[in-house]
Amino acid sequence: MWVEHLEVSDLRNIESAELTLGSGLNVLVGRNAQGKTSLLEAVGLLARGRSFRTEQAATAIRKGAAALEARGSALSGGRNTRLEVEVRGGSRRFRVDGHDVAPRDYHGRLEVAVYTTDRLRVIRGPMRERRAMLDRGAAVLWPAYRQAARDYERVLAQRNAALETGRDDVGAWNERFVELGARLRYRRGVYAQRLRAALRNGGGFPVAGESYDVTTGPEPSGDEEAQREVLRREVREARADEVRARRSLVGPHRDAVALHVDGEEAGLAASSGQARSLLLALTLASIEVYRRERADTPVALLDDLDSELDEDRVLALCRAVAERGQALVTTAHQDWVGRLGGLGRVFHVQGGQVGAA
């Protein structure tokens, strides 16, 4: 899959921009704070309907403008689809081929894999960031996962309300809680195992000399039924503690997810450079997992790729990515871009304006 044409209006410092992208490598060159990352953000908006830079998409509207828009033509499976996302105040509007659609009918037509140092919270932030990373990847791979996660959150909220108020209907929620929690835990574990396998060879891309790993707790074993028995036992054993705490203390919303560099927990032991390399490896591994499962490749959005990698490694990575599908790469350094030859398309970004090299 890839984005053939991109139009952006009133997104951060970009008043209006149009790009005709190539199906392989596309490099956005410019000094910092010129709008390069905002163009990646626009592609992310087209794919996900939300920004990967902020939870409050309205803050990305250009100062003085009423709304931002991202529009593009996405090609997948031989079909060209026109996608449009508008953010106005606190509302979002989605269109497919000119028709308004609900968010649930919009998603799944374009997928992206994002590397940006804004996401280093996955490495060093709280546990929920790592759980969310796995959940996002699994939801992209299996659309039913997203619904399972929503169902679990609803039942969790009901169970927590019963525990908080001391109602006697906690037991009535337990079986549904166990059923949905086991399903989520099992599928999350399966995705983590696939990501783990891809990480062993850097997702099939030349990244760095370190070894990377991801683990979940409890480790998945057996099938979904086995996970139900495990979670059912955890619920029984935690009953007294949950009554005292007045909230659910077991389940996938509490499970541990650990990231490792050379056998050490990354959040505690990784240097700044190692954390960035791990984040890049996770992004590339997620691309490889998706490619193996779906026989297609998400669009790679790689921001400031050369901040930690030397020129030769950046060039090797760009070549490897371009062989698999579309990638948009940003850089503030012109030197190595000149060594690309005819490998991809190059765009210069300055003051929110974009021009082809």
Side-chain angles (χ1 to χ4, degrees):
M1 65 180 63
W2 59 290
V3 178
E4 182 179 33
H5 190 74
L6 176 67
E7 303 169 43
V8 186
S9 59
D10 296 320
L11 173 61
R12 299 193 188 274
N13 69 328
I14 299 174
E15 183 174 0
S16 179
E18 287 191 43
L19 296 83
T20 299
L21 300 166
S23 59
L25 181 65
N26 300 268
V27 182
L28 307 174
V29 186
R31 300 191 314 274
N32 291 334
Q34 299 303 302
K36 303 186 304 295
T37 305
S38 297
L39 292 169
L40 302 192
E41 185 178 17
V43 178
L45 275 166
L46 277 181
R48 299 176 176 177
R50 64 183 186 278
S51 170
F52 60 73
R53 300 174 76 181
T54 176
E55 294 294 328
Q56 304 297 324
T59 63
I61 299 174
R62 188 175 62 87
K63 187 176 181 179
L68 70 81
E69 288 189 78
R71 302 173 294 275
S73 300
L75 283 79
S76 181
R79 181 180 178 181
N80 190 325
T81 304
R82 176 75 172 174
L83 300 176
E84 301 175 61
V85 176
E86 178 187 272
V87 177
R88 182 182 298 272
S91 66
R92 293 176 299 168
R93 186 176 185 181
F94 301 91
R95 299 185 190 91
V96 176
D97 292 331
H99 301 287
D100 289 342
V101 297
R104 64 178 179 275
D105 298 320
Y106 181 89
H107 294 128
R109 301 171 189 273
L110 176 67
E111 301 296 349
V112 294
V114 181
Y115 167 79
T116 171
T117 53
D118 291 345
R119 295 184 63 234
L120 281 172
R121 60 184 181 275
V122 169
I123 312 296
R124 304 202 187 279
M127 190 68 67
R128 64 174 178 272
E129 296 287 350
R130 290 179 284 286
R131 287 192 292 263
M133 175 198 69
L134 294 182
D135 290 343
R136 280 193 298 268
V140 166
L141 208 59
W142 306 300
Y145 187 97
R146 184 179 288 109
Q147 186 60 51
R150 290 194 190 110
D151 292 343
Y152 175 78
E153 289 295 332
R154 281 195 291 268
V155 171
L156 174 63
Q158 293 286 352
R159 188 171 187 269
N160 280 343
L163 284 165
E164 185 175 4
T165 58
R167 298 199 314 256
D168 58 4
D169 62 340
V170 175
W173 293 105
N174 281 353
E175 194 53 38
R176 184 66 171 154
F177 176 81
V178 165
E179 178 188 353
L180 293 170
R183 182 179 305 161
L184 204 60
R185 179 182 279 178
Y186 173 71
R187 297 308 296 175
R188 182 192 283 168
V190 170
Y191 180 76
Q193 288 178 331
R194 296 188 185 185
L195 196 64
R196 188 179 195 182
L199 277 172
R200 291 194 184 109
N201 67 346
F205 299 86
V207 182
E210 296 99 358
S211 64
Y212 308 116
D213 200 3
V214 55
T215 59
T216 59
E219 283 286 338
S221 59
D223 56 12
E224 195 173 310
E225 176 57 37
Q227 288 299 316
R228 280 196 289 271
E229 289 304 315
V230 171
L231 186 51
R232 194 173 284 118
R233 183 178 67 250
E234 291 176 6
V235 167
R236 286 197 304 267
E237 293 174 352
R239 181 178 178 181
D241 290 337
E242 289 187 332
V243 169
R244 283 191 295 270
R246 297 167 63 179
R247 66 182 186 277
S248 301
L249 299 178
V250 296
H253 68 291
R254 301 274 294 185
D255 288 348
V257 177
L259 301 172
H260 304 273
V261 177
D262 291 337
E264 300 288 338
E265 189 170 343
L268 300 175
S271 67
S272 176
Q274 285 176 321
R276 285 178 169 83
S277 292
L278 170 58
L279 185 61
L280 178 58
L282 285 165
T283 305
L284 301 177
S286 72
I287 293 174
E288 185 66 10
V289 170
Y290 187 95
R291 188 177 70 86
R292 291 176 182 177
E293 177 80 11
R294 303 289 287 273
D296 202 352
T297 306
V299 177
L301 306 178
L302 308 177
D303 190 34
D304 199 16
L305 186 60
D306 51 5
S307 62
E308 292 294 335
L309 304 179
D310 59 50
E311 286 190 10
D312 289 339
R313 189 174 290 170
V314 169
L315 286 167
L317 183 56
C318 285
R319 292 188 182 100
V321 170
E323 288 173 359
R324 288 163 170 80
Q326 187 179 54
L328 278 69
V329 176
T330 72
T331 180
H333 305 101
Q334 179 70 48
D335 295 344
W336 66 265
V337 177
R339 296 171 57 190
L340 286 171
L343 180 62
R345 300 187 184 185
V346 178
F347 302 87
H348 290 287
V349 184
Q350 183 174 357
Q353 301 293 315
V354 186

